[in-house]
């Protein structure tokens, strides 16, 4: 019953946000916050909603893996590395420092930095398409930054994993899984690709099962489910049809994840204030890293500003990391920061032309007064 | 010079700079829609349109320089990797004159050099039709060949 109502709320929100071309991710989270235990108390998280939420993030990560074709990535590795490097260095360290200053210990500061370093691929790519920016070179760099971040996510999941009693053994298991993925990514699509071309229920059922296999891996081998999901996706990225099959599953479960996540969060005043500070730093950080990346790769500060403005929005990955590994006030803080940056980020990306014009006028005035 | 690049999570981008310095970019989005950008050399801001696959096909026929008529439509295909290769495909509707005859009987390839590569009959398509296929009035046939072969085909087989 609860799920049907949650779904209905999300359908309405999705339709409204599409109509006004606003990002839908913050809408789902805000609705969850309002209806959930911290708000009106109409919904409470239970076992079923937890399972659905977990399925949602696993689907998302599996889908990310599917889009990371090892062969195509390695052809562009130079571009991807140079585009994503400053973004990582600047944003991760900035948020880490602010989190430590706010009184978090190093493990939690590392988690907050991991969560808020990563932009929302969903919002960022959608605004590039909707705001018709795909002709520009800057947009390509933005896309490479997103790919770089997708790869770093896999690493951050491993590094944030708390249940590591035996670090060497754990790392060994992760390495074996990674090596297996690499070795099998050439064979698996040929071996089982045919299963996804059938006309019966096998393709959908099998795709759904493979996507969720990560959870089973976590139980048997104690490897983080999210990491396994990305690796399984990578391994099967050669099967084009699989992406089409899994997309509707991902859409449904991920939307419900945002909503159920919102329900489970109790926004504290402290968290909210810290969230505001983190949001401001997160926005400034992306603009700075964008400026430097643009100056470095396209020899233009204005291109850099465009890159920065386009990458401000945080979203699904931040929420996933804080959902999977967070526990205390950092959950409130990151949630608040995501809601703020996603809305402001979408706005900045939409109005980047105007902002660039005023920025260059300001720069001219500044240099003429000098 | 066409530049081609895969954009992860977005689609595939083709970029073309014309001799005069104008820029055209075509992006095939993952949701099957296609964005076309045109940017004049002296202009800062590009114009863009978003079209469906069908509309893109229409556009490509127009740009291919072929007048589109319902009865006789043709498409030219250029291959990015083989710049010299251009395939022309023409469609015709089978008239009463050909009704009941087979490809073999008409000796189409022998007489004209052109090939029938597909036949569309009441919504169903037969790719590479066998020589013994019997034409019916109203069939839409797809013929492939160079200019000379097509002209011969029109003259000798269709009688137009």
């Amino acid at each position: 019953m609860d799920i049907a109502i949650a779904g209905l709320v999300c359908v309405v929100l999705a339709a409204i946000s599409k109509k006004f071309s606003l990002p839908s991710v913050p809408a789902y989270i805000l609705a969850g916050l309002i209806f959930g235990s911290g708000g009106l108390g109409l919904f409470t998280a239970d076992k079923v909603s937890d399972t659905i939420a977990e399925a949602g993030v696993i689907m998302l990560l599996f889908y990310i893996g599917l889009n990371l074709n090892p062969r195509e990535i390695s052809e562009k590795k130079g571009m991807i590395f140079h585009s994503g490097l400053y973004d990582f260095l600047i944003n991760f360290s900035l948020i880490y420092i602010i989190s430590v200053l706010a009184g978090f210990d190093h493990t939690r500061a590392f988690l907050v930095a991991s969560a808020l370093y990563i932009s929302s691929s969903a919002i960022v790519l959608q605004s590039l398409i909707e705001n018709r920016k795909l002709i520009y070179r800057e947009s390509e760099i933005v896309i490479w930054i997103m790919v770089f971040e997708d790869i770093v996510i896999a690493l951050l999941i491993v590094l944030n994993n708390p249940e590591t009693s035996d670090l060497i053994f754990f790392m060994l298991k992760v390495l074996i899984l990674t090596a297996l993925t690499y070795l099998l990514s050439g064979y698996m699509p040929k071996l089982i690709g045919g299963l996804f071309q059938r006309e019966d229920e096998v393709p959908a059922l099998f795709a759904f099962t493979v996507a969720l296999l990560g959870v089973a891996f976590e139980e048997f081998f104690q490897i983080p489910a999210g990491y396994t999901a990305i690796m399984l996706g990578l391994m099967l990225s050669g099967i084009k049809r699989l992406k089409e099959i899994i997309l509707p599953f991902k859409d449904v479960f991920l939307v419900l994840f945002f909503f159920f996540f919102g329900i489970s969060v109790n926004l504290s005043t402290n968290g909210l204030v810290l969230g505001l500070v983190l949001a401001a730093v997160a926005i400034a950080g992306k603009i700075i890293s964008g400026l430097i990346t643009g100056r470095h790769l396209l020899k233009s500060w204005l291109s850099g500003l465009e890159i920065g403005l386009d990458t401000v929005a945080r979203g699904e990955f931040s929420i996933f990391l804080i959902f999977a590994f967070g526990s205390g006030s950092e959950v409130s803080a990151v949630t608040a920061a995501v809601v703020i940056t996603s809305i402001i980020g979408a706005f900045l990306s939409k109005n980047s032309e105007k902002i660039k014009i005023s920025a260059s006028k300001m720069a001219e005035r500044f240099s003429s007064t000098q | 010079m066409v530049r081609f690049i895969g954009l992860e999570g977005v689609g595939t981008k083709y970029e073309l700079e014309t001799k005069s310095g104008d820029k055209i970019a075509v992006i095939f989005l993952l949701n099957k829609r296609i964005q076309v950008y045109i940017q004049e050399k002296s202009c800062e801001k590009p114009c863009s349109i978003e079209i469906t696959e069908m509309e893109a096909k229409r556009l490509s026929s127009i740009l291919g320089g072929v007048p589109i008529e319902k009865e006789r439509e043709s498409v030219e295909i250029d291959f990015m990797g083989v710049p010299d290769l251009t395939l022309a495909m023409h469609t015709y509707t089978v008239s009463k004159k050909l009704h009941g005859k087979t490809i073999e009987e008409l000796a189409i390839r022998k007489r004209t050099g052109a090939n029938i590569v597909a036949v569309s009959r009441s919504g169903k398509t037969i790719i590479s039709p066998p020589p013994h296929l019997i034409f019916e009035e109203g069939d839409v046939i797809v013929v492939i060949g160079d200019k000379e072969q097509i002209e011969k085909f029109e003259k000798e087989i269709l009688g137009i």
Side-chain angles (χ1 to χ4, degrees):
Chain A
M1 181 64 185
D2 272 3
I3 293 171
I5 297 172
L8 204 61
V9 171
C10 294
V11 168
V12 173
L13 289 173
I16 294 174
S17 50
K18 275 276 133 49
K19 177 124 178 64
F20 296 99
S21 55
L22 294 165
S24 48
V25 175
Y28 304 134
I29 300 172
L30 278 173
L33 286 170
I34 292 167
F35 289 114
S37 45
L40 300 171
L42 295 176
F43 287 87
T44 40
D46 57 18
K47 233 177 151 204
V48 179
S49 66
D50 285 348
T51 312
I52 289 180
E54 193 178 17
V57 287
I58 295 293
M59 292 274 173
L60 167 70
L61 294 165
F62 181 68
Y63 191 73
I64 296 301
L66 280 178
N67 279 308
L68 291 176
N69 193 316
R71 221 187 41 235
E72 286 171 26
I73 299 288
S74 64
E75 278 171 17
K76 295 185 277 220
K77 57 177 180 291
M79 280 193 293
I80 292 171
F81 179 76
H82 286 111
S83 305
L85 184 66
Y86 295 112
D87 173 51
F88 173 71
L89 291 177
I90 292 167
N91 291 292
F92 194 91
S93 45
L94 253 180
I95 293 166
Y96 182 82
I97 293 166
I98 297 293
S99 307
V100 171
L101 288 178
F104 285 126
D105 61 38
H106 287 289
T107 324
R108 286 162 84 194
F110 190 87
L111 174 62
V112 175
S114 305
L116 288 183
Y117 142 62
I118 291 183
S119 302
S120 162
S121 297
I123 299 174
V124 168
L125 298 182
Q126 197 56 34
S127 12
L128 289 184
I129 296 172
E130 274 176 14
N131 300 321
R132 306 277 173 93
K133 293 185 178 179
L134 293 172
I135 190 176
Y136 301 119
R137 241 356 107 81
E138 291 88 333
S139 300
E140 287 176 23
I141 292 175
V142 170
I143 293 168
W144 309 144
I145 294 175
M146 294 303 117
V147 175
F148 185 91
E149 291 186 356
D150 287 349
I151 299 167
V152 176
I153 289 165
L155 202 67
L156 291 177
I157 293 173
V158 173
L159 293 175
N160 276 296
N161 190 48
E163 289 144 37
T164 41
S165 47
D166 188 344
L167 193 67
I168 297 173
F169 184 53
F170 172 73
M171 280 306 182
L172 195 68
K173 283 190 293 191
V174 169
L175 274 179
I176 291 173
L177 177 64
T178 313
L180 269 177
T181 301
Y182 188 76
L183 288 175
L184 290 175
S185 66
Y187 300 106
M188 284 308 262
K190 282 179 210 136
L191 201 66
I192 60 169
L195 281 174
F196 296 101
Q197 303 299 334
R198 297 164 58 128
E199 293 296 325
D200 51 12
E201 65 269 45
V202 170
L205 192 60
F206 192 46
F208 182 77
T209 312
V210 176
L212 293 182
L213 260 188
V215 182
F217 257 70
E218 183 162 276
E219 271 169 38
F220 288 126
F221 303 109
Q222 283 80 48
I223 300 173
Y227 188 78
T228 313
I230 295 182
M231 287 299 132
L232 284 170
L234 257 170
M235 194 187 290
L236 302 175
S237 58
I239 307 172
K240 295 275 177 247
R241 176 112 202 270
L242 187 50
K243 273 186 232 175
E244 290 165 30
I245 301 172
I246 211 73
L247 187 63
F249 287 115
K250 187 212 81 175
D251 282 347
V252 171
F253 282 93
L254 190 61
V255 168
L256 289 174
F257 160 70
F258 291 128
F259 185 78
F260 288 138
F261 171 80
I263 284 176
S264 68
V265 175
N266 265 314
L267 269 190
S268 60
T269 322
N270 276 350
L272 203 61
V273 173
L274 183 57
L276 277 169
V277 176
L278 283 172
V281 175
I283 292 168
K286 285 283 172 181
I287 291 176
I288 295 168
S289 66
L291 281 168
I292 296 175
T293 309
R295 178 79 198 122
H296 177 65
L297 292 176
L298 299 174
K299 313 273 173 274
S300 152
W301 292 111
L302 272 186
S303 298
L305 185 57
E306 175 69 49
I307 295 170
L309 294 170
D310 285 340
T311 50
V312 161
R314 312 300 203 276
E316 62 276 23
F317 300 119
S318 316
I319 295 293
F320 152 65
L321 282 168
I322 211 71
F323 162 80
F325 305 114
S327 54
S329 56
E330 70 267 27
V331 180
S332 288
V334 169
T335 309
V338 166
V339 171
I340 297 167
T341 56
S342 57
I343 295 170
I344 293 182
F347 174 82
L348 291 178
S349 176
K350 196 173 185 173
N351 295 290
S352 65
E353 277 310 317
K354 287 180 210 150
I355 298 171
K356 281 193 308 196
I357 291 170
S358 355
S360 53
K361 271 188 196 150
M362 255 161 64
E364 264 171 43
R365 214 172 296 160
F366 181 72
S367 58
S368 63
T369 52
Q370 285 266 307
Chain B
M1 176 63 192
V2 177
R3 179 171 164 271
F4 153 82
I5 196 151
L7 304 175
E8 272 74 15
V10 174
T12 314
K13 177 176 177 180
Y14 294 84
E15 208 178 70
L16 177 80
E17 201 172 314
T18 63
K19 257 194 189 136
S20 51
D22 297 336
K23 231 168 148 185
I24 303 166
V26 179
I27 293 100
F28 291 85
L29 300 175
L30 293 178
N31 64 6
K32 304 264 162 89
R33 293 183 70 85
I34 298 150
Q35 286 192 349
V36 183
Y37 294 77
I38 303 168
Q39 188 172 23
E40 252 181 276
K41 194 183 175 185
S42 54
C43 191
E44 286 267 316
K45 214 172 150 40
C47 289
S48 65
I49 51 167
E50 196 171 298
I51 54 179
T52 64
E53 279 181 298
M54 261 324 276
E55 289 157 346
K57 277 188 188 142
R58 293 266 135 187
L59 179 64
S60 77
S61 307
I62 295 168
L63 291 175
V66 187
I68 299 174
E69 293 163 37
K70 208 179 164 210
E71 291 297 295
R72 283 161 57 190
E73 192 167 4
S74 66
V75 184
E76 282 192 2
I77 306 166
D78 290 303
F79 294 88
M80 204 84 64
V82 197
D84 298 336
L85 181 62
T86 302
L87 282 184
M89 280 203 255
H90 297 246
T91 66
Y92 301 94
T93 309
V94 169
S95 63
K96 218 175 207 165
K97 200 181 140 201
L98 295 185
H99 182 89
K101 294 191 171 144
T102 66
I103 298 176
E104 203 171 22
E105 207 180 312
L106 293 165
I108 292 171
R109 179 138 65 149
K110 215 167 124 193
R111 282 165 63 195
T112 68
N115 254 317
I116 300 204
V117 288
V119 177
S120 172
R121 178 173 295 166
S122 41
K124 281 195 175 164
T125 309
I126 310 157
I127 304 283
S128 300
H132 54 76
L133 182 104
I134 302 163
F135 286 132
E136 286 175 19
E137 193 183 341
D139 285 355
V140 176
I141 55 175
V142 182
V143 184
I144 198 164
D146 61 26
K147 209 176 154 223
E148 218 167 274
Q149 291 166 338
I150 293 293
E151 272 171 12
K152 235 174 173 180
F153 175 82
E154 287 181 352
K155 211 170 131 200
E156 298 205 4
I157 307 293
L158 301 175
I160 46 177

